[in-house]
């Protein structure tokens, strides 16, 4: 019978066993120096955030509407979308605050395209250095249109590169229970929405709000990219996002009332946002319309605790898989979750505006 080798192991064999390599990246401060924001853009971002804070507190009765692609994979298509949305944002500003979904990170249930920051060339080359530049450059272009931006933060290092341009952020259904993301949220400079879990449980989102409101100390990086102790003061500008779960919706009056009651019980702002997609729409993009109309009806019925809604929308309806030949990509069509098209988006935003009158 053979016996295990008796050779003395080296220290190097005890770590990085499955690591192929590491590549240094530009520091956050260097990228911001390379792609700076203007004083006007900075002032606009602060104004957007302050407005959302007032909406969270019920001091501004406008509806916060987060609308845009499930994920960004084509910068020029994103700008075309942003230009159209900026017009509607200004047109409907007296009843709604409209911000564009600008999502660069996509949490995956197993595997799949992880988003523009991680794989900007859509070919598994993972050129993150280019992805960070593309993301920041695009956010600057959208901000220069006077349009607020909203995103989900997945990797806790990413905010160092783009958070100065973000008006509103989300913590996703898969990460709401994560201590790392709660700590990150406690230091973010903008209001944050916490999604209920993929099972539909709202309590973890409420707990995330409670945790993020408290001070934290944790490992992170500083603006120069050095590993650092990060200490935060806590972020009290949070709210729950109801997105349904386990194949069941939770945007109805009963579930909204339960969520608001849980928030009040914990001395938190009694306000929720409704995600019209995901389990609330049964993962059918056309059903987002049903959810939106319910939200407007509930608001008209006196449920002021619904402070916002979220729509997944693109230039064209539906979705597509990433082809091996990228020249076959359909312009303006999502490569992740299916979205409603622009014409339906414009129709629904007008109907929402009219319904809020």
């Amino acid at each position: 019978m053979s016996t295990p080798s008796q050779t003395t192991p080296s220290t190097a064999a005890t770590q990085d066993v499955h690591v192929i390599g590491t590549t240094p990246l530009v520091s956050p401060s260097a990228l911001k120096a390379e792609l700076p924001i203007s004083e006007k853009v900075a002032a606009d971002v602060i104004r957007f955030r302050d407005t959302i804070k007032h909406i969270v507190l019920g001091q501004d009765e406008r509806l916060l509407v987060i609308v845009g692609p499930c994920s960004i994979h084509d910068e020029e298509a994103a700008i075309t979308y942003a230009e159209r949305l900026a017009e509607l944002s200004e047109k409907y500003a007296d009843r709604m605050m409209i911000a564009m979904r600008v999502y660069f990170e996509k949490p995956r249930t197993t595997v799949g395209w992880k988003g523009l920051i991680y794989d900007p060339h859509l070919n598994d080359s993972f050129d993150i250095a280019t992805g960070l530049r593309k993301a920041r450059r695009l956010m600057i272009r959208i901000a220069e249109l006077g349009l607020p931006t909203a995103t989900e933060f997945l990797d806790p290092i990413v905010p160092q590169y783009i958070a100065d341009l973000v008006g509103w952020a989300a913590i996703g259904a898969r990460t709401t229970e994560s201590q790392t993301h709660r700590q990150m949220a406690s230091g973010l400079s903008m209001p944050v929405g916490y999604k209920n879990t993929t099972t539909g449980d709202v309590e973890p989102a409420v707990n995330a709000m409670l945790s993020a409101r408290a001070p934290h100390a944790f490992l992170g990086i500083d603006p120069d990219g050095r590993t650092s102790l990060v200490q935060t003061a806590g972020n009290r500008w949070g709210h729950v996002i109801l997105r349904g779960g386990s194949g069941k919706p939770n945007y109805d009056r009963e579930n909204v009332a339960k969520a608001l009651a849980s928030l009040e019980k914990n001395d938190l702002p009694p306000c929720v946002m409704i995600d019209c997609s995901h389990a609330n729409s049964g993962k059918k993009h056309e059903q987002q319309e049903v959810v939106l109309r319910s939200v407007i009806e509930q608001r008209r019925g006196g449920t002021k605790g619904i402070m916002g809604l979220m729509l997944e929308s693109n230039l064209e309806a539906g979705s597509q898989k990433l082809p091996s030949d990228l020249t076959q990509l359909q312009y303006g069509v999502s490569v992740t979750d299916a979205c409603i098209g622009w014409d339906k988006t414009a129709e629904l935003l007008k109907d929402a505006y009219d319904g809020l009158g």
Side-chain angles (χ1 to χ4, degrees):
M1 180 183 293
S2 63
T3 59
S5 171
Q6 299 300 312
T7 57
T8 302
S10 68
T11 302
T14 65
Q15 66 182 35
D16 296 340
V17 175
H18 298 130
V19 174
I20 297 173
T22 58
T23 303
L25 293 173
V26 62
S27 70
S29 59
L31 184 60
K32 290 176 181 178
E34 178 185 330
L35 297 170
I37 62 175
S38 68
E39 290 186 7
K40 180 183 182 305
V41 165
D44 282 346
V45 171
I46 292 171
R47 177 168 55 85
F48 298 150
R49 292 173 179 173
D50 287 344
T51 298
I52 297 171
K53 290 175 183 178
H54 291 144
I55 291 174
V56 168
L57 294 177
Q59 297 168 350
D60 188 324
E61 294 189 353
R62 286 181 294 174
L63 187 70
L64 175 60
V65 178
I66 309 296
V67 56
C70 173
S71 60
I72 302 293
H73 71 275
D74 179 335
E75 304 102 283
E76 291 310 313
I79 288 298
T80 298
Y81 185 99
E83 289 171 343
R84 296 179 184 181
L85 189 63
E87 292 182 9
L88 298 186
S89 178
E90 183 177 354
K91 183 177 181 180
Y92 299 143
D94 60 319
R95 298 177 192 170
M96 300 188 294
M97 179 182 179
I98 298 176
M100 180 172 166
R101 278 180 61 110
V102 187
Y103 278 38
F104 298 124
E105 304 178 85
K106 296 305 297 180
R108 315 310 305 184
T109 301
T110 53
V111 294
W113 185 66
K114 295 181 180 180
L116 190 76
I117 285 178
Y118 301 96
D119 188 16
H121 307 302
L122 315 180
N123 62 0
D124 290 338
S125 59
F126 301 108
D127 182 2
I128 292 179
T130 296
L132 288 169
R133 286 183 169 87
K134 282 178 175 283
R136 184 167 178 84
R137 187 178 295 112
L138 177 60
M139 294 200 85
I140 290 172
R141 292 178 67 186
I142 294 173
E144 287 173 344
L145 296 172
L147 184 64
T149 58
T151 197
E152 177 181 335
F153 285 125
L154 181 60
D155 189 297
I157 291 176
V158 167
Q160 290 279 8
Y161 289 93
I162 62 172
D164 56 323
L165 286 152
V166 177
W168 176 93
I171 304 299
R174 295 171 180 81
T175 48
T176 290
E177 294 185 273
S178 160
Q179 179 68 13
T180 297
H181 290 82
R182 293 175 177 186
Q183 291 172 165
M184 175 186 70
S186 75
L188 291 176
S189 300
M190 73 292 297
V192 177
Y194 303 87
K195 287 195 173 184
N196 64 244
T197 66
T198 56
T199 63
D201 191 358
V202 175
E203 289 308 306
V206 174
N207 291 337
M209 286 179 62
L210 290 168
S211 175
R213 290 166 73 90
H216 285 276
F218 53 92
L219 284 171
I221 65 169
D222 70 7
D224 293 320
R226 296 171 299 197
T227 303
S228 304
L229 166 65
V230 178
Q231 293 179 281
T232 68
N235 182 354
R236 64 192 183 98
W237 307 109
H239 64 85
V240 165
I241 305 173
L242 300 180
R243 48 86 77 196
S246 294
K248 298 179 181 179
N250 62 359
Y251 64 86
D252 57 280
R253 292 181 186 276
E254 181 179 355
N255 277 294
V256 168
K258 286 180 180 179
L260 294 176
S262 178
L263 290 164
E264 290 180 325
K265 177 183 177 182
N266 287 281
D267 296 321
L268 295 170
C271 64
V272 298
M273 173 180 285
I274 305 296
D275 182 351
C276 296
S277 186
H278 298 98
N280 274 339
S281 66
K283 296 186 177 181
K284 297 178 181 178
H285 61 282
E286 305 95 334
Q287 290 297 109
Q288 291 187 85
E289 177 177 357
V290 175
V291 185
L292 178 141
R293 295 193 186 284
S294 174
V295 168
I296 301 305
E297 181 182 347
Q298 290 182 61
R299 286 267 301 198
R300 285 177 62 88
T303 308
K304 299 299 184 183
I306 299 179
M307 47 71 70
L309 63 82
M310 183 182 296
L311 280 173
E312 291 195 343
S313 157
N314 215 317
L315 294 175
E316 303 294 339
S319 64
Q320 62 183 322
K321 292 185 178 181
L322 280 174
S324 55
D325 179 1
L326 294 178
T327 64
Q328 300 302 308
L329 271 176
Q330 301 174 64
Y331 181 75
V333 178
S334 173
V335 298
T336 46
D337 289 351
C339 298
I340 58 174
W342 177 256
D343 289 344
K344 175 58 71 172
T345 301
E347 174 192 324
L348 292 181
L349 291 178
K350 181 181 185 304
D351 289 350
Y353 178 80
D354 292 341
L356 293 168

